[in-house]
Amino acid sequence: MMKWLDEAGERFLAHISLDCVVFGWHANQLKILLLKVKNLDVLALPGGFVMQQETLEEAAIRTLQERTGVENVFLRQFRVFSDPLRSNPEDRARDLEMMGIGRKRAAWFAQRFISVGFYSLVDFSKVDPRPDMFSETCSWYNLEDRGKMILDHDHILQTALAALRMQLNHQPIGYNLLPRKFTLPELQKLYETILGKKLDRRNFQRKVFSYGILRSLDEKRTGVAHKAPYLYSFDLRQYQKALKLGLQGGW
Amino acid sequence: MMKWLDEAGERFLAHISLDCVVFGWHANQLKILLLKVKNLDVLALPGGFVMQQETLEEAAIRTLQERTGVENVFLRQFRVFSDPLRSNPEDRARDLEMMGIGRKRAAWFAQRFISVGFYSLVDFSKVDPRPDMFSETCSWYNLEDRGKMILDHDHILQTALAALRMQLNHQPIGYNLLPRKFTLPELQKLYETILGKKLDRRNFQRKVFSYGILRSLDEKRTGVAHKAPYLYSFDLRQYQKALKLGLQGGW
DNA sequence: CCAAAAGTGTTGTTTTTACACCCATGA
DNA sequence: TCATGGGTGTAAAAACAACACTTTTGG
């Protein structure tokens, strides 16, 4: 029995890390915040570790505050990635060396990590991207034309996107991705982008209005080409009430 | 830098455990598989640990195979529980002592655990419940009249149920909870139970048929009171195809 | 033969879809 | 002034909700 315990003491320990897929919305496009790894031509998701007295959520919030300057960012767990071989071991060894991580430290990094995936939704305009100690740059990328990604981060990103799609009707994505004031066409474009399909303008408006989650602002977006669209903001109470059941009807 | 690493080496290690909320369907009721803890009047979710070369999923499947005899059970991650104080520390200490766990071992158990929650859907009739080393019994309980639960297991269970509800239209719950052959009223009752509301018989049938996920069997359930209902089984291909988009329309 | 559950269609209502014209603005 | 995107309503089609009678079976 004691034997079991001793084994267990070692056997069940793992390094816990977290990786965040940070979504932002800018120029009518969905953006992701990525780090360019030092000395390597690959990108990485912002990530971090969990300290003794933190929950995962607290650790993720802390990490993202370091990376974006945003306090108390919106985030959700979506999946744990626990494959002991999270990527090709040779690739990984080479990558770590290229990053300028010495053999000793590399050995540490080569241990088993279990990583908890979060997706995060932020107001693009509030983010001030800052690289971490392993990276040269931290900046926004388009989903389509991002570059090669380290480890299994590409897989994590895809999974996050799928989770986001699935939870579209249960999470306040508009509220978190858009600035406080926004136009209906902007909101529509956001939904179209996440869903990957076009929606009818009038039907979209009717439906959104029917939820009663928008507050109309008697104000128009100025300085923009063409007819000035009205501005709206979310009625957070109503939004959250509607999300509890899920926005009914789907898209 | 090396200092950081050394700290890190300790700081980021945690014990990984997993807890499974096992749902079964019997006598038109949703059941959960629970363990009665030795010497204590509390119930616990089946759980286990992750070994070095396993993924979490493999560990969960192994655990449930030990607890139910079922190989390759259906399961899904739904949440990580990482609160360092997963329940009242005094309660926990007392509980561990009562379980007959010596002080040394208790200290081990009192370390920080991060637990990954899975929900699992099994064919009740295929399960042969077996207690683990910490428990007197392993058996099925009704959702409503289960007893007090250990640690934060009650919270985990509630969260699992919420996740199950949310994913109702994206997971093959019927396929996994019902035996291979089943009747429409049984399927309906299953949906009614998970959703917590009554559905109209004729509308339910029309809708399920419209998905094209059922294979009609030209066979009736015999030996049952009243008019014999027809038997059906799932057309797994069609079911999975339909689930990809989510069963449209909701309930 | 009776009580209880299962099978089966129709109708009114609501929701969804498809579609076109005028307006305001910056270039 | 023109090209472009934004605002707005209606009608046909589809989906949904509500509803009752007959059949079968075991007790």
Side-chain angles (χ1 to χ4, degrees), chain A residues 1 17 28 33 58 102 139 170 201 205 218 224 233 238:
Chain A
M1 199 57 100
S17 63
N28 278 346
L33 193 69
E58 288 161 352
S139 49
H170 294 269
R201 205 148 38 101
Q205 300 195 1
D218 299 345
V224 70
S233 66
Q238 293 302 111

Side-chain angles (χ1 to χ4, degrees), chain A residues 6-227:
Chain A
D6 290 338
E7 281 174 33
E10 288 183 31
R11 215 194 300 157
F12 306 141
L13 278 171
H15 293 276
I16 308 292
S17 63
L18 58 90
D19 290 297
C20 299
V21 181
V22 182
F23 292 104
W25 183 251
H26 181 64
N28 278 346
Q29 286 189 299
L30 197 60
K31 308 279 184 178
I32 326 143
L33 193 69
L34 297 176
L35 300 161
K36 193 185 157 310
V37 179
K38 274 179 188 163
N39 307 321
L40 260 183
D41 200 25
V42 288
L43 302 171
L45 296 169
F49 301 98
V50 186
M51 299 198 289
Q52 272 304 337
Q53 288 305 319
E54 279 178 325
T55 65
L56 283 165
E57 279 72 16
E58 288 161 352
I61 283 179
R62 176 176 52 74
T63 303
L64 286 187
Q65 126 98 324
E66 289 165 11
R67 225 47 58 240
T68 66
V70 178
E71 314 257 355
N72 242 295
V73 79
F74 174 92
L75 44 75
R76 291 283 180 270
Q77 287 181 28
F78 65 94
R79 189 98 165 61
V80 183
F81 297 87
S82 64
D83 190 337
L85 309 162
R86 292 204 20 227
S87 72
N88 187 324
E90 295 163 33
D91 286 357
R92 198 170 24 173
R94 181 172 42 72
D95 284 357
L96 289 167
E97 198 178 328
M98 296 282 285
M99 281 166 75
I101 291 180
R103 223 176 284 162
K104 228 175 190 164
R105 274 175 74 201
W108 185 76
F109 273 97
Q111 289 185 282
R112 178 171 189 181
F113 278 90
I114 286 181
S115 180
V116 180
F118 286 82
Y119 68 82
S120 170
L121 306 176
V122 301
D123 180 345
F124 183 92
S125 67
K126 298 236 173 75
V127 170
D128 168 24
R130 306 162 192 179
D132 65 14
M133 62 191 305
F134 303 114
S135 28
E136 285 163 17
T137 62
C138 177
S139 49
W140 291 103
Y141 290 75
N142 287 331
L143 261 179
E144 307 74 32
D145 51 42
R146 61 180 198 275
K148 187 173 181 305
M149 300 191 63
I150 204 168
L151 295 169
D152 55 352
H153 285 199
D154 206 274
H155 174 226
I156 296 179
L157 200 160
Q158 298 296 344
T159 311
L161 195 58
L164 183 62
R165 284 214 178 101
M166 193 140 151
Q167 296 177 27
L168 197 56
N169 294 321
H170 294 269
Q171 300 294 346
I173 57 154
Y175 183 76
N176 288 291
L177 282 175
L178 296 177
R180 204 170 56 78
K181 299 177 180 184
F182 55 91
T183 68
L184 274 182
E186 283 162 8
L187 182 61
Q188 179 177 342
K189 199 83 211 305
L190 172 57
Y191 271 82
E192 288 180 340
T193 303
I194 295 178
L195 290 165
K197 70 177 176 188
K198 285 238 167 299
L199 301 172
D200 180 273
R201 205 148 38 101
R202 283 167 286 190
N203 296 336
F204 179 81
Q205 300 195 1
R206 198 193 345 269
K207 173 160 266 198
V208 176
F209 285 143
S210 78
Y211 295 138
I213 60 179
L214 293 186
R215 213 195 307 275
S216 168
L217 294 185
D218 299 345
E219 203 181 335
K220 296 186 175 189
R221 166 131 309 159
T222 57
V224 70
H226 320 304
K227 183 171 183 176

Side-chain angles (χ1 to χ4, degrees), chain B residues 7-29:
Chain B
E7 281 173 33
E10 289 183 30
R11 215 193 299 158
F12 306 142
L13 279 170
H15 295 275
I16 308 292
S17 62
L18 57 92
D19 291 298
C20 299
V21 181
V22 182
F23 292 104
W25 182 250
H26 181 64
N28 278 346
Q29 288 188 300

